Amino acid sequence: MNEKLHTKVVDQLFDAVLTLENREECYLFFEDLCTMNELMSLSQRFAVAAMLKEKKTYMEIAGETGASTATISRVNRSLSYGNDSYDMVLQRMKHKNPDNDSDACNSTT
């Protein structure tokens, strides 16, 4: 974990996110917090991670998400050498919605 990220303001942001109770609150908060492009970029990376875990090819992922191969490669590096957080979240989503295994990014909570 990057120790440079461990600051009081980042802790406050994460604490704020942890107070959100449902998807609608997430939409409201993140629409205020992020630009549309920032939120779409974050969402795209998460979708790329899920598709890489499903063993989809870079070309399939690029075609379905519009992500560049550089973005796909960056996410793949995180999956291979990162903090395993994508795996942790995707597994939790899978367990929360076992009927939705094939599309972890479209959970309906």
Side-chain angles (χ1 to χ4, degrees):
M1 212 175 320
N2 187 340
E3 291 301 318
K4 290 181 181 180
L5 288 176
H6 288 257
T7 65
K8 185 176 182 175
V9 294
V10 173
D11 284 347
Q12 289 173 335
L13 172 62
F14 292 160
D15 289 344
V17 170
L18 290 169
T19 69
L20 301 172
E21 295 182 3
N22 55 49
R23 184 175 290 152
E24 185 59 30
E25 287 185 2
C26 289
Y27 272 105
L28 295 170
F29 181 71
F30 282 98
E31 283 179 36
D32 284 347
L33 180 67
C34 301
T35 66
M36 185 184 293
N37 285 340
E38 290 168 336
L39 188 53
M40 296 310 290
S41 291
L42 292 170
S43 301
Q44 183 185 65
R45 289 181 197 157
F46 189 70
V48 166
M51 294 172 82
L52 285 167
K53 295 301 292 179
E54 293 172 357
K55 306 293 187 210
K56 294 201 175 185
T57 67
Y58 276 36
M59 296 311 294
E60 289 173 312
I61 295 168
E64 288 185 43
T65 66
S68 69
T69 54
T71 295
I72 299 167
S73 180
R74 187 175 325 119
V75 173
N76 195 38
R77 259 193 317 277
S78 291
L79 286 170
S80 298
Y81 305 109
N83 298 312
D84 296 326
S85 60
Y86 282 119
D87 287 330
M88 174 185 67
V89 171
L90 290 168
Q91 281 300 312
R92 287 179 183 172
M93 290 177 71
K94 183 177 178 179
H95 288 10
K96 191 171 185 176
N97 296 302
D99 296 335
N100 208 11
D101 287 353
S102 64
D103 198 359
C105 293
N106 288 326
S107 80
T108 54
T109 346

